[in-house]
Structure formats: structure tokens, C-alpha cells
Amino acid sequence: MNPKKVFIRGIGSYLPERVLTNRDLEAMVDTSDEWIVSRTGIRERRIAADDEFTSDMATQSARRALEDAKMSPQEIDCILLCSVTFDMAFPATACIVQKNLGISSCPCMDIEAGCSALVYSMEVAAGLLQLGHYKNILVVASDKLTSITDWQDRSTCVLFGDGSSAMVLSTEASRAQAELVDTLLRAEGKDGEILMQPGGGSRHPASVETVQNRLHYLKMNGREVFKGAVRGTGAVLKDILARNRLESAALQHIIPHQANQRIIDAVAETFAIPLDKFVVILHRTGNMSAGSAGIAFDEAYREGRFAENDLIAFATFGAGMTYATALLRWLA
Ligand code: UT7
């Protein structure tokens, strides 16, 4: 028996209001607008308010995706939320979003796969839908990365921002915008130490020492992440194209993780894909971890960039290290 087809029925995203520019950062650490733009492409990023949490941004993007799907929250029968900055260790932030949406009883769970988590969650949602237990799954990616950003570390603090994206995945084709054609996930745990937030878990529970040693902030070996990103993203993209007997020229749009323009340039060069096929928003958002790719996807959708039958590929990498790609065919 062929597995049921899975569709995207609603898409939404949310960016907080406050803008932090490279010039603002120049006043905070020893950096320059010129360095940040030339090394990353980032010019500004959005910062959540002090009392605005991952679940609040997630709720906003979820509401927009539901509105886009013309669905009420009651029609959602499962919530998956991905992040690296959950509201707290437990309960799951997905449960908080369920409460915010005014619904109850549907299963809710959090998924952690670094910046690849949206695509990971799309595959998990597709599998759950194909089991036949659910009809409409809300997948939300939300990160308040600035809550774990070390504002004294110029090598990381210039890179990140906050934001959220959401989509409704469904076995119902009516009013769907896109069909989920395929997903491919990968992880390399041996590379985990190049990108992590060491403090706060069972290995380094919060203590005076973990705070003094700044272990509750994001730590990164940027050069190694950069190399892994180009290699790993390229590999999953190549493999999903081969598995679907497609050439890269068949892709009309690539939705990359929004981390660094130079990473996107390198992937484009590897595949000889014209840069204008890549949806890039990082110059005005920075890297918003799991939320990034979905926000780029939503903005391109709302700008009318996708046409019927267009093939769209997500291509992401993140802490883990994780790598993930999804192929979509645009329907509407
Ligand atoms: O979601 C995944 C998250 N992470 C990523 O995607 C990050 C991937 N990596 C990168 O994007 C790049 O490696 C960075 C943008 C983080 C760094 O760029 P780079 O070209 O790899 O620079 P680098 O780390 O090799 O540093 C070059 C120089 C160093 O100075 P010296 O040792 O050559 O004197 C750094 O100290 O740039 C210096 N530097 C800075 N200078 C001004 C590092 N950060 C800054 C800064 N402003 N913000």
C-alpha cells in the first residue's frame, strides 16, 4: 500500500518588533558593520522583548498559519514544536502553545535537532499523519536565540536573532499550498562539540561555576560549523535529488538555513544553482535557528514567489550536527 500523501495547508511566521543593527552591536563589542556584512551578510536582526518568550512567538506564527489554512485551532490534532531555546526544560513548550491556542487534549511534544529541527519535524509529522491517527498536525519552529547569546562574545553575538515559523501539515489535499514530496535527515553526533549550550542539563546543572564559566551561553567553533554546513548541506541535497531522479536544475527555489551568506554562496556554487533561486532573508533577520528556514519560506510565499508545480527544496544544518532537506511541490 502506498503511504498517504502529505500536504502543507497553512504557512505563517512571526518576527519580533525590535531591530538590533550592526551599528548597535559596534557599541556593545569590538566589531564593525563592515566585518559582519563581509563575513556573514547580516545587517540587522530582530530581538524579542524581555517578556516575550519562545512560546509567545510560536503562538503568533501558529495563529498566522491557522489563519492561512482557514482552520480553527480545534481542528489541530497534534502539535510538534522545535527549538533550542524552549521556554523551560519541562513541560514541553508545545504544551504551552496548546494552552495559548485555547485547545486541549491533543498530543504535544518538543523536538530538538538544532537549526534543522523544522525539517526534522516535517518528517516526523509526515510519519505520524501516515499512521492515520491524525489529520492536521501543527509544526512550529521558534527560537529566542538572544536568550542564550553571550553579548560579550563578538564571534557569536553578531550572528543571532529571534523569530518563529509554523505550518499545518495534513493528509487533506483541499486548499493545500504544497505537497511534501520527500524528506531526508542526517546527523553526525561526533561533531556535537562544535556547537552547543553546555550548561543547564544533567551534565552541567546550573551552579555558581556554570554561571561564572558562562556555560549557559551558546558556544561555537565557527570555522568548523562553516565547513560542516557546506559539506553536510551539499550532501543531503545531492542525495535527495538523486533519490528522486532529479537534477539540481529542476529546483525552482531553495530555502536554506539563514546562517551566513557565504555558506549559501558555497552551496550555490557546488551545485551551479543561480543565487536568485535561494530565498535569503538573513541580511535583515540574522540566524534564528529552527525558525529561520520557515520564516524565509513564509515570506517568499506571501511575496508570491512560488508558482504551480514549482519544486522547492529546504536545505538546513544545525547543532548535532544535523543536516536535513525536504522537497515540496507547489500546488496553488
Ligand atoms: O545555525 C548554525 C550556527 N552557526 C553558523 O552557521 C556559523 C558558521 N560559521 C560562520 O558563519 C563563520 O565561521 C563566522 C561568521 C562565525 C566567522 O567567520 P570566519 O570568516 O570563519 O572568521 P574567523 O572565526 O576565522 O575569524 C577571523 C577573525 C579573527 O581574528 P584573527 O584571529 O584573524 O585576528 C576573529 O577574532 O575575525 C575575528 N572576529 C571578529 N572581528 C570583528 C570574529 N568575530 C568578529 C567580529 N567582529 N564580530
Side-chain angles (χ1 to χ4, degrees):
M1 203 178 83
N2 283 332
K4 289 190 182 99
K5 288 189 172 186
V6 172
F7 301 94
I8 294 176
R9 270 183 87 184
I11 305 163
S13 67
Y14 171 80
L15 288 171
E17 263 174 41
R18 190 178 148 209
V19 175
L20 185 75
T21 65
N22 291 352
R23 293 273 178 235
D24 296 329
L25 282 161
E26 284 178 355
M28 295 162 66
V29 284
D30 179 16
T31 191
S32 66
D33 175 59
E34 193 281 327
W35 190 95
I36 303 170
V37 173
S38 64
R39 299 286 176 129
T40 71
I42 299 166
R43 293 180 184 277
E44 58 184 41
R45 66 289 289 142
R46 297 299 185 94
I47 307 285
D50 290 347
D51 60 352
E52 187 177 38
F53 310 115
T54 294
S55 62
D56 298 315
M57 294 188 288
T59 305
Q60 296 278 3
S61 66
R63 286 210 174 102
R64 288 174 188 177
L66 286 165
E67 194 179 307
D68 184 50
K70 299 189 176 52
M71 288 171 71
S72 75
Q74 284 72 19
E75 289 173 84
I76 291 299
D77 41 26
C78 177
I79 301 176
L80 306 181
L81 185 137
C82 45
S83 186
V84 293
T85 49
F86 298 107
D87 276 26
M88 52 190 96
F90 60 86
T93 302
C95 292
I96 302 172
V97 171
Q98 183 207 46
K99 182 186 75 173
N100 291 352
L101 292 174
I103 53 176
S104 62
S105 119
C106 70
C108 298
M109 65 188 109
D110 286 354
I111 294 184
E112 209 281 84
C115 309
S116 303
L118 176 66
V119 180
Y120 264 64
S121 302
M122 287 161 78
E123 177 164 306
V124 173
L128 290 172
L129 288 165
Q130 284 162 348
L131 268 179
H133 294 187
Y134 311 105
K135 287 200 176 100
N136 299 301
I137 299 185
L138 176 65
V139 172
V140 197
S142 185
D143 262 302
K144 185 173 179 176
L145 272 189
T146 57
S147 66
I148 58 165
T149 297
D150 185 345
W151 297 107
Q152 293 179 14
D153 176 9
R154 70 173 184 172
S155 72
T156 56
C157 75
V158 301
L159 303 173
F160 303 116
D162 303 326
S164 175
S165 57
M167 49 179 83
V168 179
L169 268 66
S170 175
T171 44
E172 187 61 57
S174 66
R175 299 198 311 262
Q177 290 100 337
E179 181 188 341
L180 184 60
V181 177
D182 199 6
T183 46
L184 195 157
L185 314 182
R186 218 161 258 165
E188 293 296 347
K190 65 176 168 39
D191 300 327
E193 291 190 355
I194 62 179
L195 180 52
M196 56 162 66
Q197 181 200 352
S202 63
R203 194 173 292 216
H204 300 291
S207 67
V208 172
E209 286 73 33
T210 61
V211 172
Q212 279 169 347
N213 294 327
R214 311 184 80 73
L215 296 191
H216 297 276
Y217 293 119
L218 180 152
K219 309 278 177 201
M220 180 172 73
N221 179 335
R223 279 186 204 183
E224 289 307 311
V225 174
F226 191 107
K227 284 191 262 175
V230 175
R231 204 172 42 234
T233 311
V236 286
L237 206 46
K238 177 168 161 280
D239 291 352
I240 204 168
L241 287 170
R243 185 155 93 178
N244 288 273
R245 296 191 180 78
L246 292 167
E247 299 292 332
S248 57
L251 299 173
Q252 275 76 35
H253 312 275
I254 325 280
I255 317 286
H257 175 36
Q258 307 290 317
N260 188 323
Q261 182 64 50
R262 285 160 54 221
I263 295 175
I264 295 170
D265 293 346
V267 173
E269 196 182 315
T270 309
F271 287 93
I273 299 176
L275 262 178
D276 61 6
K277 287 194 177 184
F278 287 75
V279 178
V280 182
I281 59 168
L282 63 87
H283 52 283
R284 57 188 164 79
T285 63
N287 176 352
M288 301 158 294
S289 189
S292 295
I295 299 172
F297 179 55
D298 180 49
E299 292 195 1
Y301 158 52
R302 285 167 198 270
E303 283 163 16
R305 278 176 73 167
F306 306 141
E308 192 174 346
N309 262 332
D310 276 1
L311 259 187
I312 303 166
F314 277 71
T316 61
F317 65 91
M321 292 290 290
T322 57
Y323 305 96
T325 175
L327 265 188
L328 309 181
R329 185 170 294 284
W330 197 253
L331 301 172

mmCIF file of all heavy atoms in Angstrom, residues 10 13 22 29 31 56 73 76 86 114 122 143 151 178 187 204 226 248 250 256-257 310:
data_model
loop_
_atom_site.group_PDB
_atom_site.id
_atom_site.type_symbol
_atom_site.label_atom_id
_atom_site.label_comp_id
_atom_site.label_asym_id
_atom_site.label_seq_id
_atom_site.Cartn_x
_atom_site.Cartn_y
_atom_site.Cartn_z
ATOM 1 N N GLY A 10 -1.190 25.368 5.519
ATOM 2 C CA GLY A 10 -1.177 26.734 6.060
ATOM 3 C C GLY A 10 0.242 27.066 6.460
ATOM 4 O O GLY A 10 0.965 26.209 6.971
ATOM 5 N N SER A 13 4.474 33.013 9.898
ATOM 6 C CA SER A 13 5.719 33.307 10.609
ATOM 7 C C SER A 13 5.545 34.566 11.449
ATOM 8 O O SER A 13 4.552 35.295 11.309
ATOM 9 C CB SER A 13 6.894 33.471 9.630
ATOM 10 O OG SER A 13 6.723 34.617 8.832
ATOM 11 N N ASN A 22 23.801 46.323 13.068
ATOM 12 C CA ASN A 22 25.251 46.137 13.254
ATOM 13 C C ASN A 22 25.867 47.343 13.965
ATOM 14 O O ASN A 22 26.791 47.204 14.758
ATOM 15 C CB ASN A 22 25.924 45.927 11.893
ATOM 16 C CG ASN A 22 25.551 44.591 11.277
ATOM 17 O OD1 ASN A 22 24.908 43.761 11.927
ATOM 18 N ND2 ASN A 22 25.957 44.369 10.030
ATOM 19 N N VAL A 29 30.303 45.445 21.425
ATOM 20 C CA VAL A 29 31.518 44.620 21.371
ATOM 21 C C VAL A 29 32.471 45.182 20.327
ATOM 22 O O VAL A 29 32.093 46.038 19.525
ATOM 23 C CB VAL A 29 31.202 43.128 21.008
ATOM 24 C CG1 VAL A 29 30.630 42.374 22.183
ATOM 25 C CG2 VAL A 29 30.328 43.024 19.778
ATOM 26 N N THR A 31 33.542 45.126 17.249
ATOM 27 C CA THR A 31 33.206 44.617 15.924
ATOM 28 C C THR A 31 32.916 45.797 15.009
ATOM 29 O O THR A 31 32.991 46.955 15.428
ATOM 30 C CB THR A 31 31.998 43.657 15.993
ATOM 31 O OG1 THR A 31 31.865 42.986 14.739
ATOM 32 C CG2 THR A 31 30.691 44.372 16.319
ATOM 33 N N ASP A 56 5.536 32.424 23.077
ATOM 34 C CA ASP A 56 4.721 33.555 22.599
ATOM 35 C C ASP A 56 4.916 33.753 21.095
ATOM 36 O O ASP A 56 3.960 33.948 20.351
ATOM 37 C CB ASP A 56 5.117 34.848 23.333
ATOM 38 C CG ASP A 56 4.876 34.755 24.818
ATOM 39 O OD1 ASP A 56 3.799 34.277 25.212
ATOM 40 O OD2 ASP A 56 5.772 35.139 25.595
ATOM 41 N N PRO A 73 -8.160 26.509 15.663
ATOM 42 C CA PRO A 73 -7.221 25.708 16.449
ATOM 43 C C PRO A 73 -7.804 24.336 16.814
ATOM 44 O O PRO A 73 -7.067 23.354 16.931
ATOM 45 C CB PRO A 73 -6.993 26.561 17.704
ATOM 46 C CG PRO A 73 -7.323 27.961 17.300
ATOM 47 C CD PRO A 73 -8.374 27.857 16.241
ATOM 48 N N ILE A 76 -6.767 21.190 14.923
ATOM 49 C CA ILE A 76 -5.409 20.634 15.065
ATOM 50 C C ILE A 76 -5.467 19.431 15.986
ATOM 51 O O ILE A 76 -6.014 19.506 17.085
ATOM 52 C CB ILE A 76 -4.463 21.719 15.651
ATOM 53 C CG1 ILE A 76 -4.244 22.833 14.631
ATOM 54 C CG2 ILE A 76 -3.124 21.125 16.081
ATOM 55 C CD1 ILE A 76 -3.611 22.388 13.327
ATOM 56 N N PHE A 86 13.762 26.345 24.345
ATOM 57 C CA PHE A 86 12.428 26.090 24.870
ATOM 58 C C PHE A 86 12.178 27.036 26.053
ATOM 59 O O PHE A 86 13.126 27.491 26.707
ATOM 60 C CB PHE A 86 12.311 24.628 25.318
ATOM 61 C CG PHE A 86 12.511 23.659 24.186
ATOM 62 C CD1 PHE A 86 13.677 22.902 24.091
ATOM 63 C CD2 PHE A 86 11.557 23.521 23.186
ATOM 64 C CE1 PHE A 86 13.876 22.024 23.031
ATOM 65 C CE2 PHE A 86 11.748 22.647 22.126
ATOM 66 C CZ PHE A 86 12.913 21.897 22.051
ATOM 67 N N GLY A 114 18.573 21.122 16.581
ATOM 68 C CA GLY A 114 19.277 22.341 16.182
ATOM 69 C C GLY A 114 18.492 23.080 15.109
ATOM 70 O O GLY A 114 17.253 23.035 15.070
ATOM 71 N N MET A 122 9.019 18.107 10.108
ATOM 72 C CA MET A 122 8.153 17.837 8.948
ATOM 73 C C MET A 122 8.130 16.330 8.670
ATOM 74 O O MET A 122 7.084 15.751 8.385
ATOM 75 C CB MET A 122 8.656 18.612 7.719
ATOM 76 C CG MET A 122 8.376 20.115 7.813
ATOM 77 S SD MET A 122 9.408 21.097 6.689
ATOM 78 C CE MET A 122 8.576 20.842 5.144
ATOM 79 N N ASP A 143 12.476 30.247 18.116
ATOM 80 C CA ASP A 143 13.684 30.395 18.915
ATOM 81 C C ASP A 143 13.890 31.817 19.388
ATOM 82 O O ASP A 143 13.816 32.768 18.602
ATOM 83 C CB ASP A 143 14.928 29.939 18.128
ATOM 84 C CG ASP A 143 15.322 28.519 18.504
ATOM 85 O OD1 ASP A 143 15.582 28.288 19.696
ATOM 86 O OD2 ASP A 143 15.333 27.641 17.617
ATOM 87 N N TRP A 151 26.579 38.208 25.048
ATOM 88 C CA TRP A 151 26.777 39.547 24.479
ATOM 89 C C TRP A 151 28.191 40.071 24.704
ATOM 90 O O TRP A 151 28.506 41.200 24.347
ATOM 91 C CB TRP A 151 25.727 40.518 25.027
ATOM 92 C CG TRP A 151 24.332 40.119 24.621
ATOM 93 C CD1 TRP A 151 23.371 39.582 25.421
ATOM 94 C CD2 TRP A 151 23.748 40.186 23.305
ATOM 95 N NE1 TRP A 151 22.232 39.305 24.688
ATOM 96 C CE2 TRP A 151 22.435 39.669 23.381
ATOM 97 C CE3 TRP A 151 24.206 40.625 22.049
ATOM 98 C CZ2 TRP A 151 21.574 39.579 22.287
ATOM 99 C CZ3 TRP A 151 23.350 40.540 20.953
ATOM 100 C CH2 TRP A 151 22.062 40.024 21.084
ATOM 101 N N ALA A 178 1.014 23.091 -0.916
ATOM 102 C CA ALA A 178 2.146 22.320 -1.433
ATOM 103 C C ALA A 178 2.021 20.861 -1.002
ATOM 104 O O ALA A 178 1.369 20.545 0.002
ATOM 105 C CB ALA A 178 3.451 22.896 -0.897
ATOM 106 N N ALA A 187 22.422 13.002 10.832
ATOM 107 C CA ALA A 187 23.085 13.616 11.996
ATOM 108 C C ALA A 187 24.484 13.048 12.133
ATOM 109 O O ALA A 187 24.731 11.890 11.771
ATOM 110 C CB ALA A 187 22.284 13.352 13.258
ATOM 111 N N HIS A 204 25.968 19.473 33.229
ATOM 112 C CA HIS A 204 26.429 20.675 33.963
ATOM 113 C C HIS A 204 25.203 21.387 34.530
ATOM 114 O O HIS A 204 24.791 22.433 34.010
ATOM 115 C CB HIS A 204 27.165 21.638 33.027
ATOM 116 C CG HIS A 204 28.374 21.064 32.372
ATOM 117 N ND1 HIS A 204 29.521 20.763 33.064
ATOM 118 C CD2 HIS A 204 28.612 20.729 31.077
ATOM 119 C CE1 HIS A 204 30.427 20.276 32.225
ATOM 120 N NE2 HIS A 204 29.889 20.236 31.017
ATOM 121 N N PHE A 226 31.066 26.100 9.834
ATOM 122 C CA PHE A 226 31.007 26.578 8.456
ATOM 123 C C PHE A 226 31.339 25.441 7.480
ATOM 124 O O PHE A 226 30.597 25.159 6.526
ATOM 125 C CB PHE A 226 32.002 27.741 8.292
ATOM 126 C CG PHE A 226 31.867 28.494 6.995
ATOM 127 C CD1 PHE A 226 31.319 29.761 6.956
ATOM 128 C CD2 PHE A 226 32.292 27.934 5.802
ATOM 129 C CE1 PHE A 226 31.191 30.459 5.762
ATOM 130 C CE2 PHE A 226 32.180 28.618 4.597
ATOM 131 C CZ PHE A 226 31.628 29.880 4.586
ATOM 132 N N SER A 248 19.785 19.275 -10.245
ATOM 133 C CA SER A 248 19.577 20.494 -9.452
ATOM 134 C C SER A 248 18.832 21.562 -10.260
ATOM 135 O O SER A 248 18.117 22.394 -9.695
ATOM 136 C CB SER A 248 20.900 21.035 -8.929
ATOM 137 O OG SER A 248 21.782 21.275 -10.002
ATOM 138 N N ALA A 250 16.268 21.215 -11.828
ATOM 139 C CA ALA A 250 14.813 21.026 -11.692
ATOM 140 C C ALA A 250 14.241 21.844 -10.528
ATOM 141 O O ALA A 250 13.023 22.031 -10.435
ATOM 142 C CB ALA A 250 14.506 19.545 -11.468
ATOM 143 N N PRO A 256 17.303 27.849 2.209
ATOM 144 C CA PRO A 256 18.425 27.414 3.051
ATOM 145 C C PRO A 256 18.263 27.882 4.496
ATOM 146 O O PRO A 256 17.481 28.796 4.768
ATOM 147 C CB PRO A 256 19.620 28.124 2.405
ATOM 148 C CG PRO A 256 19.049 29.402 1.884
ATOM 149 C CD PRO A 256 17.598 29.131 1.530
ATOM 150 N N HIS A 257 19.024 27.256 5.391
ATOM 151 C CA HIS A 257 19.127 27.804 6.736
ATOM 152 C C HIS A 257 19.762 29.189 6.613
ATOM 153 O O HIS A 257 20.691 29.390 5.835
ATOM 154 C CB HIS A 257 19.992 26.884 7.606
ATOM 155 C CG HIS A 257 20.241 27.422 8.967
ATOM 156 N ND1 HIS A 257 19.291 28.133 9.657
ATOM 157 C CD2 HIS A 257 21.330 27.362 9.784
ATOM 158 C CE1 HIS A 257 19.782 28.496 10.825
ATOM 159 N NE2 HIS A 257 21.015 28.053 10.929
ATOM 160 N N ASP A 310 6.108 24.361 -9.113
ATOM 161 C CA ASP A 310 7.495 24.666 -8.723
ATOM 162 C C ASP A 310 7.982 23.614 -7.729
ATOM 163 O O ASP A 310 7.250 23.210 -6.823
ATOM 164 C CB ASP A 310 7.586 26.047 -8.025
ATOM 165 C CG ASP A 310 7.693 27.189 -9.021
ATOM 166 O OD1 ASP A 310 7.676 26.923 -10.240
ATOM 167 O OD2 ASP A 310 7.785 28.344 -8.564
#
